[in-house]
Every structure is written in structure tokens, then in C-alpha cells.
Amino acid sequence: MFPIRDHNPSTGTPYVTWSLLVLNVAIYLWMVVALDTGDDLARLYFDWAMIPARISAAENPVSVVSSLFLHAGLFHLAGNMLFLFIFGDNMEEQMGHGVFAAFYLASGVAANLVQFAAEPFSPVPTIGASGAIAGVMGGYLLMFPRARIDILIFLIVYIRLVPVPAWLVLAVWFGLQVLGGLGADASVGGGIAYWAHAGGFAVGLGLALPVWLRRGGPAFWARTHGVPPHAPAPPLARSNIPTVRRRR
């Protein structure tokens, strides 16, 4: 089960969401072109990835931000950017550009700190935008629980797009992150930063709460039916109204 698209276009231009997409892709392309050896990559990760052991030693605190813009491979990047593309624009529209940018970074930093708390002496670098994007998803769950999200289902030879409510997609995703974190062996290096995902999601939901309350809380859900508000369809121009010939 994999979210692939939504049916909830924003009514404005999501400048921050698009800028984050471009920035993450540009940095990844730079990594592919500029880093010639494994030593170059290791040096980049040492300097800019969030390494819990270095944070415990009070080293490189900027990495809790810089690590959000590094990705380990094309599929890692593509998956994160797809989720940001699906959920980011509607959240940016509700929050405003500046607030959304701060919300994204705060969720990402909080996600890294939760991962650090789970394994404070790990030497394994943590990278990726998924903690920040998890925050966007947590906020989306609060703001638009009934939005329709198309998920791609693979069952051996059966492949189908199925529209489901956002609350189901996001609740299942969050549950999987918590289960993954509980089942992960902290002594084994590498893998998925489950606690960063779960922590970012929970923090994003909490940070979105004031926005939801300012919109009216449950009254906001009542007005929007739990989906992102769309611009009304433009009125049909008189010149476009077909002429009707009446029969006698």
C-alpha cells in the first residue's frame, strides 16, 4: 500500500513546497556529480548528517537541520519528494508560506532529536527529509482527515489504484513507524529511522493544533467536511453558453 496522488489541489501557488522539492533534488544531483569516491561521501555524512554520537559529544549541532536535505539514493529521494508533493501544498495554503517553512524545519529538527533520544550513542548517520515530511503528514491528519488519497496496491499480479480517506493512510503509516521502532535493534547499524518518522509525525500534529483551533477546530471540519477547501468553479461565461433553438 503506497500513496501515489491526491485529489485536493491547493487554490494558491505552494512556493515553499516547490522550493523544497527543487532544493532537495538539486542537492542530490550535486552529490551524484561532485562526490567521486566513497571517502567523499563518508566525509560529507560526517560533516552534515545527524550522527547521534557526535550530538552526544556536543559536536556539529547544525546537522539536525542540514541532514534534512541529504538523501542516500534515488528511491530514497523520490519517495520523500512524492509524499511532500502530495501533502505539502494544502498545509502550506492553510499555514501561509513563512509559517509552513518554519513548521517544516521544526518538525524535521524534532524528528532528528527523537531519533537521537532513541539511540544517543549511535555512530550511524541519519539523513533524509522524511522526518520533516512526517510532520507535514501529522498536520495533514489533523486538518484534513477525510481528504481522498489514491493508494497503489500490489497483490502479486493485481495492481490497482484505490481512493481511501487520508486518516486511514496516515494512521496506518504512523502505526507502522511505531511498530518498526519498537522492533528495531538499535545495535544494528543502518536501516530506517523509524523513531524520526514517528516523532516528526507526532510533533507535526501538535504544531498544527493551533492552526486548526484558529480555524475553529471542529467547526473547521464541519465547514470543510474534513477535506482541503477548493476554489469554486468559475462561472460559465455568457459567450460560452450554447444557443438553444426551441421547437414550435
Side-chain angles (χ1 to χ4, degrees):
M1 185 180 78
F2 192 80
I4 199 71
R5 66 184 183 189
D6 67 349
H7 297 274
N8 312 292
S10 59
T11 58
T13 302
Y15 293 108
V16 174
T17 299
W18 284 111
S19 297
L20 289 169
L21 288 165
V22 170
L23 181 59
N24 278 281
V25 170
I27 290 175
Y28 176 75
L29 292 176
W30 172 82
M31 290 171 61
V32 171
V33 172
L35 303 181
D36 296 326
T37 67
D39 289 341
D40 291 337
L41 185 63
R43 191 175 304 111
L44 178 76
Y45 284 171
F46 183 79
D47 289 338
W48 300 108
M50 196 283 289
I51 302 175
R54 294 198 69 194
I55 299 296
S56 291
E59 297 175 1
N60 204 24
V62 72
S63 64
V64 297
V65 175
S66 60
S67 61
L68 303 176
F69 300 94
L70 303 177
H71 289 85
L74 183 59
F75 288 107
H76 185 206
L77 173 72
N80 279 344
M81 295 304 99
L82 175 61
F83 276 59
L84 178 58
F85 176 77
I86 292 173
F87 299 107
D89 59 339
N90 297 125
M91 290 299 296
E92 181 175 349
E93 182 173 33
Q94 288 299 313
M95 292 183 160
H97 307 304
V99 173
F100 177 74
F103 167 80
Y104 179 92
L105 291 175
S107 295
V109 170
N112 274 332
L113 293 178
V114 171
Q115 186 66 33
F116 162 75
E119 42 182 19
F121 302 107
S122 171
V124 179
T126 297
I127 60 173
S130 52
I133 296 168
V136 175
M137 294 163 65
Y140 196 99
L141 174 62
L142 177 64
M143 300 292 292
F144 312 118
R146 297 181 63 188
R148 307 301 288 180
I149 306 295
D150 283 349
I151 62 171
L152 192 61
I153 294 180
F154 294 90
L155 293 175
I156 307 176
V157 297
Y158 178 81
I159 302 177
R160 186 175 180 181
L161 281 175
V162 178
V164 296
W167 69 264
L168 179 59
V169 176
L170 297 173
V172 169
W173 185 89
F174 176 72
L176 291 174
Q177 306 315 304
V178 173
L179 290 175
L182 292 173
D185 185 351
S187 66
V188 178
I192 299 173
Y194 289 110
W195 288 120
H197 296 171
F201 189 96
V203 169
L205 193 154
L207 291 176
L209 184 61
V211 178
W212 179 70
L213 291 174
R214 283 198 299 271
R215 295 291 185 275
F220 175 72
W221 285 341
R223 289 196 310 272
T224 64
H225 306 288
V227 303
H230 296 163
L236 187 64
R238 180 174 294 276
S239 60
N240 294 332
I241 300 176
T243 300
V244 177
R245 186 185 300 275
R246 292 186 296 176
R247 294 177 184 265
R248 289 187 180 272

